[in-house]
Amino acid sequence: MTPEDRETQPLLGPPGGSTPRSRRVFLAAFAAALGPLSFGFALGYSSPAIPSLRRAAPPAPRLDDNEASWFGAIVTLGAAAGGVLGGGLVDRAGRKLSLLLSAVPFVVGFAVITAARDVWVLLGGRLLTGLACGVASLVAPVYISEVAYPAVRGLLGSCVQLMVVTGILLAYLAGWVLEWRWLAVLGCMPPTLMLLLMSCVPETPRFLLAQHRRQEAMAALRFLWGSEQGWEEPPIAAERQGFQLAMLRRPGIYKPFVIGVSLMAFQQLSGVNAVMFYAETIFEEAKFKDSSLASVVVGLIQVLFTALAALIMDRAGRRLLLTLSGVIMVFSTSAFGAYFKLAQGGPGNSSHVDLLAPVSTEPIDPSVGLAWLAVGSMCLFIAGGPPALRRVLARLCLLHLRCPFHFVLRP
């Protein structure tokens, strides 16, 4: 049996391949998926919030160029710390408790942003939401994969990334009509709902069995799958083995490790986070009349093509889709750069574009007619390189290692 087979083998499985028919597993999966939804909302929040904060009047905080940059990017620092923290929590505190704990910095972070009167408080709130993002994006897929029975495990697992991009789209849509403070109030709702629903569902049977709490595991199984009668417990050898640095000497270990880490590094360096964080500001600089609408279009494209990638990935093959993704992203970013060269070119103009500069009210040159090129190239960029594809590829490589790095390094 390969490591991948052992990873997907359920700890409690039905003999003969019969499928349980309980709908409570969908409730548990939805409750956990609210974590990725909150994660996506926190990522997308800065896009509509930055223009709103730049227009804010005292006593509300008002962002300058540097502060706006930090406001968008500081969430990633919190997420990095949250990934490391979650890696320790998930096996010690459990999957359910880790998700419950992740809801706290989500709610507190958005509440701090709502009550902020200066920039440092705003940044502190964003840092807290980033911390929650790191924990939730790590724990939620683990919880869902361990509570789902085989017939729906793939379906529910694919919903994780879909919920992330849905959260981004929700932030863009809400930011179309709400100012930054009310948008932060809205951001408190998904994690609050997750906190309530996760209190009503059990810990995963896999974790309970690993903690030698068999009776609780059977009770959780009856709640999630409908029955425990006739279900078999696998031997303890099926549990995850610890990772040791000496294992990196083996080609079968270091090759997928390098591939997986490289894929995640390239995914981050592709610039997709910058587009998500500053989408509305980018379109304002591109002289697009309704930058909020353009951001919503980009978010909608991301949701649609993330779902499409999940549907065709197994049929088309990972390598083909990844190659096609890279080609489309090169073409789209080249077109986007060409637009800014045309729009910003001219005597005395630098080739460097300050994306956070205030929108000019001066009469614009004829290149404003090419504004749709900026929107089209960004939509093509998102469509051709959906984050779900690169993340799933990286995760598949690192799952081969059966080590904690696929949690800590998860983008």
Side-chain angles (χ1 to χ4, degrees):
M1 184 179 294
T2 64
E4 291 89 344
D5 294 332
R6 289 197 298 270
E7 182 67 30
T8 57
Q9 180 187 22
L11 276 183
L12 299 171
S18 60
T19 303
R21 299 298 180 185
S22 174
R23 296 184 178 180
R24 291 176 179 174
V25 67
F26 294 100
L27 171 64
F30 174 74
L34 288 171
L37 181 71
S38 304
F39 173 29
F41 191 94
L43 292 183
Y45 173 79
S46 62
S47 176
I50 287 176
S52 179
L53 283 164
R54 292 175 67 84
R55 298 188 300 265
R62 189 169 186 173
L63 301 181
D64 59 25
D65 292 351
N66 291 331
E67 291 164 349
S69 296
W70 276 107
F71 185 78
I74 199 171
V75 70
T76 59
L77 296 179
V84 177
L85 176 63
L89 280 176
V90 71
D91 286 327
R92 291 176 174 83
R95 286 64 160 142
K96 176 183 175 179
L97 183 56
S98 297
L99 281 172
L100 289 171
L101 291 175
S102 73
V104 175
F106 267 130
V107 175
V108 173
F110 278 118
V112 167
I113 292 174
T114 302
R117 289 292 183 271
D118 62 70
V119 174
W120 287 104
V121 177
L122 280 176
L123 297 180
R126 284 286 285 172
L127 190 65
L128 283 174
T129 59
L131 182 70
C133 288
V135 177
S137 66
L138 182 156
V139 182
V142 178
Y143 183 89
I144 292 173
S145 66
E146 292 186 0
V147 300
Y149 47 82
V152 297
R153 183 172 295 129
L155 172 65
L156 295 180
S158 65
C159 290
V160 173
Q161 181 62 29
L162 188 60
M163 291 294 277
V164 173
V165 295
T166 301
I168 295 174
L169 176 60
L170 177 61
Y172 289 173
L173 283 170
W176 200 359
V177 295
L178 298 177
E179 292 294 313
W180 64 273
R181 203 181 295 276
W182 285 106
L183 191 61
V185 172
L186 180 63
C188 295
M189 295 182 182
T192 300
L193 182 59
M194 180 179 72
L195 192 63
L196 296 175
L197 292 181
M198 285 301 301
S199 301
C200 302
V201 297
E203 179 60 85
T204 69
R206 183 187 187 104
F207 176 78
L208 293 172
L209 285 175
Q211 298 296 311
H212 308 291
R213 296 154 62 182
R214 181 176 174 78
Q215 290 185 350
E216 295 179 52
M218 295 301 104
L221 186 63
R222 288 193 299 269
F223 179 91
L224 295 166
W225 292 6
S227 174
E228 65 170 289
Q229 186 175 3
W231 297 79
E232 299 177 353
E233 180 180 343
I236 193 67
E239 283 297 304
R240 183 190 303 270
Q241 298 176 354
F243 176 80
Q244 299 176 354
L245 289 177
M247 296 171 63
L248 289 176
R249 298 176 182 176
R250 307 175 192 171
I253 297 295
Y254 73 75
K255 287 183 178 179
F257 177 79
V258 171
I259 292 173
V261 173
S262 298
L263 284 172
M264 284 188 282
F266 288 133
Q267 186 265 335
Q268 294 296 307
L269 294 173
S270 68
V272 65
N273 283 347
V275 174
M276 295 299 100
F277 293 164
Y278 307 109
E280 193 165 329
T281 305
I282 290 173
F283 290 126
E284 283 184 354
E285 182 65 24
K287 307 297 191 300
F288 197 78
K289 291 183 179 179
D290 194 337
S291 57
S292 297
L293 173 62
S295 301
V296 170
V297 171
V298 168
L300 183 61
I301 291 291
Q302 183 171 234
V303 171
L304 294 176
F305 278 85
T306 296
L308 178 63
L311 292 175
I312 68 174
M313 191 182 306
D314 289 331
R315 298 180 181 179
R318 276 76 166 168
R319 183 175 180 180
L320 174 62
L321 289 179
L322 187 63
T323 302
L324 182 62
S325 171
V327 172
I328 293 176
M329 290 172 70
V330 168
F331 176 79
S332 60
T333 51
S334 298
F336 193 59
Y339 166 78
F340 269 103
K341 181 64 177 178
L342 292 173
Q344 301 292 331
N349 282 347
S350 170
S351 61
H352 171 72
V353 179
D354 183 3
L355 294 182
L356 296 175
V359 180
S360 174
T361 58
E362 295 297 321
I364 54 178
D365 57 65
S367 65
V368 72
L370 296 175
W372 276 104
L373 176 61
V375 179
S377 59
M378 281 297 95
C379 290
L380 186 62
F381 174 80
I382 294 298
L389 178 60
R390 294 183 295 276
R391 289 177 178 175
V392 169
L393 284 167
R395 184 167 174 80
L396 286 174
C397 290
L398 288 175
L399 281 175
H400 179 74
L401 300 176
R402 303 178 62 79
C403 74
F405 286 125
H406 73 280
F407 295 133
V408 176
L409 298 176
R410 181 179 175 84

